[in-house]
Amino acid sequence: MRVWRSFLILFFACLSQVARADDLVSVYHQAIEGDPRIKLADLKVGVGTAAEKQATGDLLPQINGRASFSENRQDLERDFNQGIAGGRESFPGERYSVVLSQPLFDLPRYYRWRRQQELTAQAEAERTDVNQQLILDVVDAYFIVLRYEDDLDLVNHEIKATEGLLAQVEKLYEKKLAKITELLEARATLDKLFADQVEASSQVAVARERLHEITGSRPGELIPLRDDVRFVEIEGTLEEWVARVKAENSALRGLDKAVNAQTQDLRERKSGRLPVVDFQLSHQKSDLGFENSPRPTTTTDYAGVNVNVPIFSSGVLTGRINESAHRLEMTRLEYETEYRMLIKEARDALLRANASVRRIRASEQALQSAKKSAEAMRRGFKLGAVTIADLLDAQSDRYLAQRDLNRARYDYIINRTRLLRVAGVVNEQELQAMNQWLVAE
């Protein structure tokens, strides 16, 4: 019975590990749910949309109704010359009114509406940019974890191989067939590998913590990269990618909308010197007159055009215009700064990605040569033709070649994603395509 219970516990534990295996897309979906940047970007769009509705409403007719009910008292002073007898009078009062107003010529309101449209479009572009940055963060964090896990796995394999060699040298030393220096060399190499193991373990922990920060949940076992994926250089010249950056980068598009919004703000400030014309229509019914004096119930209808002309503002309007002009120039400079940075990043990502492809090819050849060299050294050591130091060096070169190959593959994926993100074309479909590079479950 205990055997079956142990078997079931082991079975469900293995099943749980399989269920917790995460691929690139599942980690991305966790990040969407857990990363506050996405929620914050959505809220900014909501704020912009609500503000745009308000600005639109300012251009449309406004109808206001008002009603008042009052209890009034008048104390009349006696005036003999006028023949007015004094006394006190109390009476109720009612007043109802409905007023409709419609702007006819109000450029500040119009430019304010145009400005808010641009700000809403800026928030939408920034939301797209945040989502694309999240994809890059997920790809970078995911493959950095795999990279350090591979490093740790290689160190563990090298430790195991070195422990085997140390056992052989100890036996040979006991039989007086090996020198003390060879024994010390093997032990020193093993001690160094144990230190490398500690460092690799800490790097894995840090990388997983970063992934946890992005997703908001502890990552399970990550599905590794397939060994048979063939990476090719990215097509297109730098000039073509620069054109895509200018046309499609969401951060740049957001700054362009910010420039447009500030332009509309400047126009709004300048139009403050112009007259404002509005139409007003009102209907009022009241039994109160001037200073709430009683009178027969009267109905009054009014239709008119109001003109408000600014004459002198003590420099306030000029100051607002200058401030807006300076803000516009600042926004333009921010756009230019961002554009130059993105071009630099696109160039760097393109060059690094294509260099990684060539490095992958070279690392594959270097790995094959290192494997052959290590095998030759192993046979030579058995025959007494080479020392343990030579064999340890060859073995280390083999694992270093494998590590360089792994890193070149991960560097290609990350830099390729960086380029797509800068060009504004990275999306979940691209993530699905990269997900095919992982080992199928």
Side-chain angles (χ1 to χ4, degrees):
M1 187 66 180
R2 291 181 179 178
V3 175
W4 276 104
R5 182 181 301 173
S6 301
F7 173 77
L8 289 175
I9 292 174
L10 180 61
F11 172 77
F12 285 114
C14 294
L15 188 62
S16 174
Q17 290 296 323
V18 172
R20 292 185 65 245
D22 295 320
D23 61 6
L24 203 55
V25 173
S26 66
V27 171
Y28 171 65
H29 288 161
Q30 293 172 20
I32 290 178
E33 294 297 325
D35 197 308
R37 291 176 295 177
I38 297 294
K39 297 181 177 66
L40 181 60
D42 289 337
L43 291 174
K44 287 183 178 179
V45 173
V47 170
T49 303
E52 184 180 346
K53 288 182 179 180
Q54 297 174 50
T56 303
D58 285 341
L59 298 174
L60 301 177
Q62 307 290 323
I63 301 177
N64 295 300
R66 182 178 180 182
S68 66
F69 308 91
S70 61
E71 187 67 28
N72 305 276
R73 187 182 70 182
Q74 286 185 343
D75 293 327
L76 300 177
E77 295 183 2
R78 179 180 299 178
D79 190 335
F80 293 102
N81 294 329
Q82 298 293 330
I84 299 175
R88 174 174 295 179
E89 181 181 6
S90 297
F91 56 91
E94 295 181 5
R95 181 180 287 130
Y96 308 91
S97 66
V98 178
V99 180
L100 178 146
S101 62
Q102 168 63 53
L104 298 179
F105 182 82
D106 193 336
L107 282 181
R109 289 192 184 189
Y110 171 74
Y111 288 129
R112 195 176 306 128
W113 170 66
R114 291 287 305 276
R115 173 176 175 269
Q116 195 55 55
Q117 284 185 317
E118 297 294 342
L119 289 176
T120 303
Q122 178 188 357
E124 291 172 346
E126 290 176 350
R127 178 173 60 181
T128 301
D129 184 68
V130 167
N131 188 64
Q132 292 180 341
Q133 181 62 45
L134 181 62
I135 292 177
L136 175 60
D137 290 345
V138 167
V139 171
D140 183 72
Y142 187 97
F143 287 105
I144 287 296
V145 171
L146 292 185
R147 167 182 168 176
Y148 288 131
E149 286 182 343
D150 283 352
D151 288 352
L152 179 59
D153 189 57
L154 288 174
V155 171
N156 290 336
H157 279 84
E158 189 172 359
I159 287 175
K160 185 177 180 180
T162 304
E163 286 176 337
L165 290 177
L166 178 60
Q168 295 181 36
V169 174
E170 287 175 343
K171 290 180 180 179
L172 293 174
Y173 180 74
E174 291 174 357
K175 298 178 180 179
K176 308 299 184 182
L177 297 177
K179 300 177 181 179
I180 185 63
T181 54
E182 293 182 309
L183 181 60
L184 295 176
E185 179 74 23
R187 288 177 176 173
T189 301
L190 186 59
D191 291 338
K192 179 182 178 301
L193 289 175
F194 283 135
D196 292 342
Q197 185 185 47
V198 173
E199 181 181 359
S201 299
S202 65
Q203 288 175 333
V204 170
V206 170
R208 281 187 162 272
E209 191 61 33
R210 183 190 171 207
L211 192 58
H212 172 223
E213 178 185 358
I214 295 173
T215 62
S217 59
R218 292 291 176 184
E221 180 183 355
L222 301 185
I223 299 178
L225 187 65
R226 293 190 351 240
D227 293 331
D228 60 345
V229 179
R230 304 300 298 175
F231 300 114
V232 297
E233 292 192 14
I234 299 174
E235 297 181 354
T237 64
L238 178 61
E239 290 73 18
E240 292 173 342
W241 282 102
V242 167
R244 297 183 75 174
V245 169
K246 190 170 185 179
E248 302 183 46
N249 181 271
S250 52
L252 209 59
R253 186 167 64 252
L255 284 174
D256 181 63
K257 296 299 180 182
V259 171
N260 294 341
Q262 196 58 47
T263 301
Q264 299 301 328
D265 182 77
L266 180 59
R267 291 174 179 174
E268 177 189 343
R269 303 301 182 188
K270 289 182 177 180
S271 63
R273 294 193 172 108
L274 300 177
V276 174
V277 182
D278 64 354
F279 170 75
Q280 191 173 72
L281 183 66
S282 68
H283 173 79
Q284 177 176 292
K285 185 177 181 179
S286 174
D287 58 2
L288 295 175
F290 179 70
E291 293 186 345
N292 291 336
S293 60
R295 70 173 182 177
T297 300
T298 304
T299 300
T300 304
D301 293 319
Y302 166 83
V305 175
N306 303 318
V307 180
N308 184 14
V309 182
I311 296 177
F312 181 68
S313 63
S314 300
V316 174
L317 186 57
T318 301
R320 289 174 179 173
I321 293 173
N322 292 336
E323 177 189 355
S324 183
H326 291 320
R327 289 185 182 278
L328 175 58
E329 188 60 27
M330 289 169 56
T331 309
R332 286 173 175 165
L333 292 175
E334 289 174 2
Y335 177 93
E336 182 64 24
T337 301
E338 181 72 11
Y339 175 69
R340 294 184 182 185
M341 185 190 71
L342 291 172
I343 298 307
K344 177 180 178 298
E345 189 172 353
R347 180 186 296 109
D348 181 75
L350 179 62
L351 294 176
R352 286 178 179 272
N354 287 338
S356 294
V357 175
R358 296 188 291 272
R359 185 181 172 190
I360 289 171
R361 303 288 179 264
S363 296
E364 288 174 341
Q365 296 178 0
L367 178 60
Q368 295 302 320
S369 299
K371 286 181 178 179
K372 294 178 181 178
S373 175
E375 185 60 30
M377 287 294 180
R378 188 175 296 277
R379 291 196 298 266
F381 178 72
K382 290 180 179 180
L383 298 174
V386 298
T387 64
I388 187 63
D390 296 329
L391 178 55
L392 290 173
D393 288 341
Q395 179 178 272
S396 177
D397 290 343
R398 179 212 180 280
Y399 288 109
L400 286 175
Q402 181 66 62
R403 187 192 65 182
D404 290 343
L405 175 59
N406 293 342
R407 291 187 176 184
R409 285 155 60 88
Y410 295 135
D411 287 346
Y412 172 85
I413 296 173
I414 293 172
N415 284 300
R416 178 179 177 275
T417 309
R418 281 179 57 210
L419 178 62
L420 296 179
R421 184 259 182 276
V422 173
V425 295
V426 68
N427 49 41
E428 189 168 353
Q429 287 72 28
E430 184 63 37
L431 207 62
Q432 292 279 4
M434 284 189 283
N435 211 46
Q436 303 302 313
W437 296 343
L438 305 179
V439 175
E441 292 188 86

